[in-house]
């Protein structure tokens, strides 16, 4: 596929298969109070965001029974085997390489913010190369998302242990926040993330993240299936985890599948 073709796929806002993947996640939260204003924040916690001790946090109203019913509805619509029970709040989205996986999960962030008021998102990646790729995608889609979502304010950045003020901003801002972080930055006790810091009033950086109840997006989760990695991801105190890959090792509550055959049938990838 030529570079120009890839750019076209990334920025085409009405590709049905991408919209289906986005809606698969958005519809899991059906019944969550709809956000009624771009900058609204109810202190009673009914717009997807509440004030926590360290800042603003995502807030989930739905119980497990409602979430499971929503998941089953999504799976039925997408022709996927129905989950009999929730496998934790982990949700898998399978997308063949080259079909715009990164674009889909970035746009899903905006949809979840606009519809339900969720503001805190963390993208966990297994390598520096993927981290840089995600950052590049956020840069080149900036105007595209501004146009699609009426210039809603948002911040995105890569976690840097030398710039811990960003962690405080992540927690205290009531605007949409997107942090990209490598798994190696928080999976050991020796990481700055897990140490008490003077510049954070003696708190650990991870405490600020935990307080926000972030929605965690895992890019290429098959590279983060060790017990150590799972424990690290859980330590972020996620509201839920959204797992995106073409080659999942383990599938949890599969919501959408664009496998090689489906991608070929849609003329999204060329036959080798």
């Amino acid at each position: 596929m030529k570079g120009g073709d890839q750019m076209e796929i990334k920025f085409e806002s009405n590709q049905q298969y991408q919209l289906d993947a986005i809606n698969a996640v958005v519809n899991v939260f059906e019944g969550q109070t709809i956000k009624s204003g771009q900058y609204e924040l109810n202190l009673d916690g009914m717009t997807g965001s509440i004030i926590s001790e360290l800042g603003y946090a995502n807030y989930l109203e739905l119980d497990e029974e409602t979430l499971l019913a929503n998941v089953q509805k999504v799976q039925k619509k997408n022709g996927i085997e129905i989950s009999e029970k929730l496998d934790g709040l982990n949700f898998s989205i399978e997308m063949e390489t080259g079909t715009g996986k990164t674009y889909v999960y970035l746009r899903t962030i905006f949809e979840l913010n606009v519809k339900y008021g969720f503001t805190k998102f963390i993208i966990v990646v297994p390598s520096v190369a993927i981290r840089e790729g995600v950052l590049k995608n956020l840069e080149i889609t900036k105007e595209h998302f501004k146009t699609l979502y009426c210039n809603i304010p948002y911040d995105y950045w890569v976690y840097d242990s030398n710039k811990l003020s960003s962690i405080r901003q992540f927690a205290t801002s009531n605007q949409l926040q997107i942090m990209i972080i490598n798994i190696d930055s928080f999976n050991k006790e020796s990481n700055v993330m897990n140490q008490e810091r003077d510049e954070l009033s003696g708190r650990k950086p991870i405490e600020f993240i935990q307080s926000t109840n972030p929605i965690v997006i895992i890019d290429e989760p098959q590279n983060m299936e060790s017990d150590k990695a799972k424990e690290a991801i859980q330590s972020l105190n996620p509201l839920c985890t959204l797992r995106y890959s073409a080659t999942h090792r383990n599938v949890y509550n599969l919501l959408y599948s664009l496998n090689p055959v489906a991608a070929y049938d849609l003329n999204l990838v060329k036959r080798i």
Side-chain angles (χ1 to χ4, degrees), residues 88-117:
L89 293 190
N90 291 280
F91 304 105
S92 299
I93 299 90
E94 180 185 17
M95 293 191 74
E96 181 62 8
T97 303
T99 58
K101 174 193 70 176
T102 307
Y103 173 86
V104 163
Y105 71 62
L106 292 179
R107 188 163 167 189
T108 299
I109 288 173
F110 285 91
E111 288 289 333
L112 290 172
N113 173 258
V114 166
K115 189 157 188 184
Y116 302 119

Side-chain angles (χ1 to χ4, degrees), residues 11-227:
F11 295 100
E12 183 62 58
S13 60
N14 57 359
Q15 294 271 357
Q16 192 57 51
Y17 73 94
Q18 293 182 340
L19 296 176
D20 290 344
I22 292 162
N23 287 329
V25 173
V26 172
N27 291 340
V28 166
F29 300 99
E30 190 178 335
Q32 176 86 4
T33 300
I34 302 294
K35 183 180 176 185
S36 57
Q38 202 78 274
Y39 307 105
E40 176 185 329
L41 179 80
N42 274 351
L43 299 187
D44 62 5
M46 302 308 281
T47 59
S49 183
I50 58 170
I51 295 179
S52 71
E53 184 191 352
L54 297 178
Y56 292 89
N58 290 332
Y59 175 78
L60 181 63
E61 299 165 47
L62 307 180
D63 58 26
E64 201 165 299
E65 193 180 340
T66 305
L67 287 167
L68 177 59
N70 287 346
V71 166
Q72 292 171 335
K73 198 188 298 184
V74 168
Q75 290 171 328
K76 187 175 180 183
K77 182 182 178 189
N78 291 330
I80 288 166
E81 188 178 344
I82 306 295
S83 297
E84 290 182 16
K85 60 178 184 176
L86 281 183
D87 197 352
L89 293 190
N90 291 280
F91 304 105
S92 299
I93 299 90
E94 180 185 17
M95 293 191 74
E96 181 62 8
T97 303
T99 58
K101 174 193 70 176
T102 307
Y103 173 86
V104 163
Y105 71 62
L106 292 179
R107 188 163 167 189
T108 299
I109 288 173
F110 285 91
E111 288 289 333
L112 290 172
N113 173 258
V114 166
K115 189 157 188 184
Y116 302 119
F118 296 129
T119 56
K120 307 300 167 80
F121 294 84
I122 296 177
I123 301 169
V124 179
V125 297
S127 69
V128 171
I130 292 177
R131 185 190 75 196
E132 293 307 306
V134 176
L135 182 61
K136 186 68 178 170
N137 267 274
L138 276 159
E139 288 168 359
I140 63 179
T141 53
K142 196 168 186 177
E143 292 307 314
H144 173 70
F145 287 136
K146 275 187 173 183
T147 304
L148 269 183
Y149 296 103
C150 303
N151 280 318
I152 62 168
Y154 68 99
D155 299 305
Y156 66 85
W157 43 278
V158 170
Y159 167 75
D160 182 343
S161 60
N162 294 314
K163 297 177 181 173
L164 294 180
S165 59
S166 299
I167 290 283
R168 194 189 291 272
Q169 178 196 321
F170 181 81
T172 58
S173 174
N174 65 352
Q175 295 179 355
L176 175 56
Q177 299 289 308
I178 304 168
M179 182 173 82
I180 313 160
I181 189 168
N182 194 304
I183 185 75
D184 290 335
S185 295
F186 66 100
N187 63 356
K188 298 181 284 293
E189 282 300 317
S190 58
N191 290 135
V192 169
M193 178 67 83
N194 296 312
Q195 295 177 351
E196 293 174 357
R197 309 296 292 185
D198 289 343
E199 61 265 52
L200 294 177
S201 310
R203 291 184 180 270
K204 300 174 183 176
I206 199 164
E207 290 179 53
F208 285 83
I209 288 172
Q210 291 166 340
S211 76
T212 69
N213 208 201
I215 291 177
V216 173
I217 291 168
I218 308 179
D219 194 328
E220 305 296 347
Q222 71 276 10
N223 297 316
M224 294 177 268
E225 289 286 9
S226 69
D227 288 343

